[in-house]
Amino acid sequence: MIQRFGEPQAAARWCAEQRAQGRTLGFVPTMGALHEGHLALVRRARAENDVVCVSIFVNPLQFDEKSDFERYPRDFEADAGALDAAGAQMAFTGTLAGFFSRELRADGSFDPAFLEDPGAPAQGLEGALRPGHFAGVATIVRRLFETVRPARAYFGQKDFQQTLVVRELARRLGAPPIVVCPTTRERDGLALSSRNVFLSAEERARAVAIPRALEAARARFAAGERRASELARVLRDSLAGFALDYATVRDPECWTGEEPQGELERAVALVALRLGAVRLIDNRALHTQDGAL
Ligand code: PAF
């Protein structure tokens, strides 16, 4: 049966015991509302480590919209059951005060002086559209790493820019190695997301345009197109009529806030759009057959 802890100090003690017994710890940080994509991370972590631990914490520091934070789906019981079945040994949650006892002000708010600098990967796209988001992610992920001290940590490619922020953080901290796992998709190609449950049937049907646009850009890259501007035009043409936040192309090895000039050897196409009240993001590598980086 999976071990559960409601506060990070107890989780840290459990992790320390595991390490003392010579076990390697794989760590999957989540905000809960788990779906098959999270469980794929857990299975990969299980295959590569002795034990797997998962955090479930809807981190208020990374939400730029209060309404998004408040309605984010939460079901710790269902999540713990799914994690158990997927082979995780421990799941923990906590409160902001539990994670940051020294960083809160008297009124209970987080003191911004303690926010982590998310570094250069936070430039552009999500970083520009969601001010403070990556600082909030980097701050909690650092604390989670300090709590678990894992041998490896697992993140999904769907949040591509987040994987860059987390890699940069781990590089600064000196650990842990970051494993980025391919995006899990529905049969029609839509990337799994905890927010998909908020799509109406009509919006869900329209959402398939996102993986189709990414595929159109891949086909164009395979046909020899190497200019980011042209590849991005294919994305935008395919998504005409959608409320786009962005549809763009970057060099995955060399992040820039702006679309790169010149020819790309490797490319990642990235899309963010709003369907009704739901914001969806997705990406794929254009230089690989399956879109994985
Ligand atoms: O990707 C997520 O679910 C969150 O951003 C993370 C990494 C768990 C930090 O809160």
Side-chain angles (χ1 to χ4, degrees):
M1 238 346 230
I2 190 165
Q3 289 272 348
R4 297 191 215 178
F5 297 107
E7 52 109 7
Q9 285 75 10
R13 280 193 295 276
W14 185 89
C15 292
E17 277 163 28
Q18 300 299 316
R19 286 194 310 275
Q21 290 171 25
R23 301 199 181 106
T24 56
L25 265 170
F27 175 46
V28 183
T30 81
M31 298 204 300
L34 302 180
H35 51 63
E36 208 30 59
H38 297 107
L39 302 179
L41 301 182
V42 171
R43 287 190 209 101
R44 172 87 175 263
R46 189 78 183 91
E48 297 177 355
N49 303 274
D50 297 325
V51 286
V52 176
C53 129
V54 179
S55 61
I56 298 178
F57 178 57
V58 186
N59 168 33
L61 303 179
Q62 71 187 74
F63 283 82
D64 45 319
E65 286 174 25
K66 196 158 175 273
S67 59
D68 193 24
F69 172 69
E70 276 164 4
R71 69 177 194 151
Y72 200 85
R74 292 164 172 86
D75 191 345
F76 191 64
E77 288 305 307
D79 288 345
L83 291 173
D84 198 19
Q89 281 75 16
M90 192 269 267
F92 71 102
T93 185
T95 57
L96 196 62
F99 280 109
F100 298 105
S101 51
R102 284 183 301 275
E103 292 86 352
L104 297 194
R105 296 186 284 213
D107 67 357
S109 64
F110 189 89
D111 183 343
F114 291 103
L115 282 172
E116 195 69 27
D117 176 358
Q123 280 169 22
L125 304 194
E126 295 299 307
L129 285 158
R130 305 180 63 190
H133 170 67
F134 285 128
V137 169
T139 303
I140 188 64
V141 169
R142 177 179 184 157
R143 183 52 43 92
L144 292 167
F145 286 170
E146 289 165 349
T147 303
V148 177
R149 302 198 175 278
R152 295 172 198 83
Y154 295 79
F155 292 82
Q157 183 185 320
K158 187 168 89 66
D159 295 296
F160 176 69
Q161 200 175 355
Q162 170 171 280
T163 69
L164 300 180
V165 168
V166 169
R167 278 218 159 107
E168 168 66 18
L169 173 73
R171 194 190 58 73
R172 274 205 311 270
L173 299 174
I178 305 298
V179 183
V180 176
C181 302
T183 303
T184 306
R185 296 178 181 282
E186 302 274 9
R187 287 172 77 88
D188 67 359
L190 181 67
L192 296 195
S193 161
S194 305
R195 293 183 173 90
N196 289 354
V197 295
F198 296 126
L199 294 170
S200 69
E202 193 208 331
E203 288 160 354
R204 172 63 189 81
R206 289 189 72 206
V208 70
I210 302 171
R212 287 195 184 141
L214 295 171
E215 172 53 26
R218 187 206 62 79
R220 210 39 195 279
F221 188 92
E225 182 56 71
R226 293 291 180 272
R227 289 166 297 174
S229 55
E230 274 308 297
L231 294 163
R233 203 176 52 73
V234 173
L235 290 174
R236 285 193 288 269
D237 287 351
S238 310
L239 293 167
F242 283 90
L244 282 185
D245 275 352
Y246 55 79
T248 186
V249 172
R250 294 285 187 277
D251 181 339
E253 309 279 316
C254 175
W255 186 259
T256 47
E258 302 295 320
E259 214 162 72
Q261 308 280 322
E263 309 234 313
L264 295 175
E265 252 175 67
R266 307 155 301 253
V268 57
L270 303 118
V271 170
L273 57 77
R274 282 174 197 270
L275 258 176
V278 188
R279 185 169 189 272
L280 298 176
I281 65 170
D282 198 359
N283 70 80
R284 68 162 293 155
L286 301 183
H287 56 284
T288 65
Q289 192 57 40
D290 61 359
L293 279 155

